[in-house]
Amino acid sequence: MRNYVSSFAASFIVLFALVVGTVSQPALAQEVEPRWSIAIHGGAGTLDPDKMTPEQKAAYEAALQNALDAGKAILSSGGTAMEAVQAAIIPLEDDPLFNAGRGAVFTWEGRNELDASVMDGRDRSAGAVTGVTTIKNPILLADKVRTESPHVFLMGEGAEQFASEQELETAPPEWFATERRLKSLERMKARQLSALDVDHKFGTVGAVALDLEGNMAAGTSTGGMTGKRWGRIGDAPVIGAGTYADNRSCAVSATGWGEYFIRVGVAQEICTRLRYRFRMDIDAVQSVVPKDADGLPTYIIHASEFPLSVESAQEEADAVMAEVKDLGGDGGVILVTPEGHALYSFNTTGMYRGRATSDGVNEVAIFAEE
């Protein structure tokens, strides 16, 4: 953890020193209005605005807004963060524009193998599946693993059997397959290219949300990387790498070169950094509180009085993504915090993304400069 005080904390220290002697201590505590926020992604990578037609851009933006609207509807009506996350991810899984569910990339053997995970920040319960081939919406199966099984992570045939017992909707192979993804595999094999040469973006989809009760959740779904072999598993279904949620700090969903995100433990690393950054900033403010005759502080700073700033949260997320880049990986993350911040961080030229909050924020974007 960095050994410094954020600019927000420094400003708060000055303000606190000025007002602590003139404002009664109970008056410093204020009720925080309940708020909700949501962020979504549809993959990150090498995205060039000059190579995307206006029609293609409009189609992606419409798909992102559709998913964002589904999550917003849940949160604004008092639904849970977990419900909102799934509501946002399902239309992305159903849309062939994205590499999740329908439209997933092909393995080397010509199959669509799907991964997904979810996590609830209330109790850190989690569910994940990998290598499923017939589940129409893998994100729903991941949640069933979380709520209806004693396990966290199921794979392949076992996960399919569990899905059958839970009566989840299935689909035949042709539902998931698209001509565009098949051509990517054929080009990869014919030219002996890498997955990064044929797929200029990581099409993983995900969502994170904060509900009006102050609970957070995260979910991620993907088809993996074109031409993946030997049962390769990326970060999307790995709790702590591609997905993590903890009410004490944040909820994160990642998209990118999974091997590097696993090595860094990106999702949990961000949440852990935010939790300790929050504590560090509070301690910095507490250190300037006047002492009484016995050397004890005359006032104790409470977490409700000192929310983590959006600048601090962004700094920590950016630092983790910089670490991924230093190792040679790329991609991005979305996150929400208990304060209602909905953020992105990515080290690529673009990321399909969107966010909305109860404060009126509503936006979708694709390229880095947007």
Side-chain angles (χ1 to χ4, degrees):
M1 187 61 64
R2 298 179 188 81
N3 184 24
Y4 67 87
V5 179
S6 72
S7 58
F8 180 84
S11 298
F12 192 91
I13 289 173
V14 173
L15 177 63
F16 188 90
L18 290 172
V19 305
V20 72
T22 59
V23 179
S24 63
Q25 292 169 357
L28 289 171
Q30 297 180 359
E31 288 293 324
V32 177
E33 182 100 9
R35 63 187 66 185
W36 58 260
S37 62
I38 183 171
I40 63 170
H41 70 75
T46 305
L47 303 176
D48 185 348
D50 294 332
K51 295 182 179 179
M52 181 177 288
T53 68
E55 293 77 17
Q56 289 172 327
K57 186 172 188 289
Y60 276 108
E61 289 174 340
L64 291 169
Q65 189 63 59
N66 180 51
L68 195 60
D69 288 344
K72 285 170 49 183
I74 297 293
L75 295 171
S76 61
S77 61
T80 69
M82 182 59 73
E83 291 170 336
V85 162
Q86 293 177 64
I89 289 177
I90 287 171
L92 296 175
E93 288 182 327
D94 291 343
D95 195 319
L97 288 174
F98 303 98
N99 174 22
R102 188 182 184 200
V105 300
F106 285 85
T107 67
W108 185 263
E109 294 77 19
R111 289 157 41 101
N112 305 114
E113 294 182 354
L114 314 171
D115 307 330
S117 62
V118 294
M119 189 166 184
D120 193 323
R122 291 176 295 184
D123 57 3
R124 284 176 282 173
S125 60
V129 295
T130 187
V132 298
T133 60
T134 67
I135 309 305
K136 185 172 181 288
N137 292 112
I139 199 68
L140 296 180
L141 177 54
D143 193 47
K144 285 293 186 181
V145 173
R146 180 182 73 88
T147 60
E148 304 299 329
S149 87
H151 307 301
V152 169
F153 204 165
L154 300 182
M155 65 175 286
E157 292 182 7
E160 302 263 358
Q161 179 182 342
F162 176 73
S164 177
E165 294 173 2
Q166 298 300 314
E167 300 182 344
L168 288 179
E169 185 177 359
T170 59
E174 54 267 27
W175 161 259
F176 305 102
T178 62
E179 186 68 21
R180 178 169 68 106
R181 299 298 191 187
L182 184 58
K183 286 182 177 179
S184 292
L185 177 65
E186 291 171 346
R187 189 166 70 254
M188 177 185 186
K189 288 185 172 183
R191 302 180 188 176
Q192 296 184 339
L193 302 172
S194 73
L196 300 181
D197 291 323
V198 297
D199 288 326
H200 299 294
K201 69 180 183 66
F202 303 98
T204 300
V205 307
V208 292
L210 166 75
D211 63 34
L212 291 173
E213 296 297 319
N215 297 314
M216 291 181 286
T220 313
S221 181
T222 190
M225 298 181 77
T226 296
K228 60 183 180 180
R229 306 179 74 176
W230 312 298
R232 180 263 185 187
I233 300 170
D235 65 302
V238 179
I239 302 300
T243 303
Y244 203 77
D246 184 342
N247 277 6
R248 298 174 299 175
S249 54
C250 68
V252 177
S253 174
T255 174
W257 196 339
E259 281 71 12
Y260 292 93
F261 280 69
I262 292 172
R263 288 164 60 185
V264 175
V266 165
Q268 186 176 15
E269 177 73 3
I270 291 173
C271 287
T272 299
R273 285 182 180 229
L274 291 192
R275 183 152 56 94
Y276 285 99
R277 176 65 176 267
F278 182 49
R279 186 70 257 169
M280 182 180 71
D281 285 355
I282 290 179
D283 289 345
V285 176
Q286 184 67 56
S287 68
V288 303
V289 172
K291 305 292 195 298
D292 61 20
D294 297 321
L296 299 175
T298 56
Y299 186 72
I300 301 299
I301 302 297
H302 297 282
S304 61
E305 301 162 352
F306 188 73
L308 186 71
S309 72
V310 65
E311 293 85 4
S312 293
Q314 189 71 59
E315 284 176 5
E316 298 302 337
D318 290 347
V320 175
M321 289 309 303
E323 188 174 339
V324 171
K325 186 175 182 178
D326 288 344
L327 291 178
D330 57 2
V333 295
I334 53 174
L335 64 148
V336 294
T337 72
E339 296 78 18
H341 308 314
L343 307 174
Y344 323 117
S345 181
F346 52 100
N347 59 21
T348 54
T349 59
M351 181 166 76
Y352 297 98
R353 61 199 188 275
R355 60 184 170 188
T357 73
S358 53
D359 293 332
V361 173
N362 184 97
E363 64 181 31
V364 296
I366 299 174
F367 305 108
E369 60 272 16
E370 294 181 292

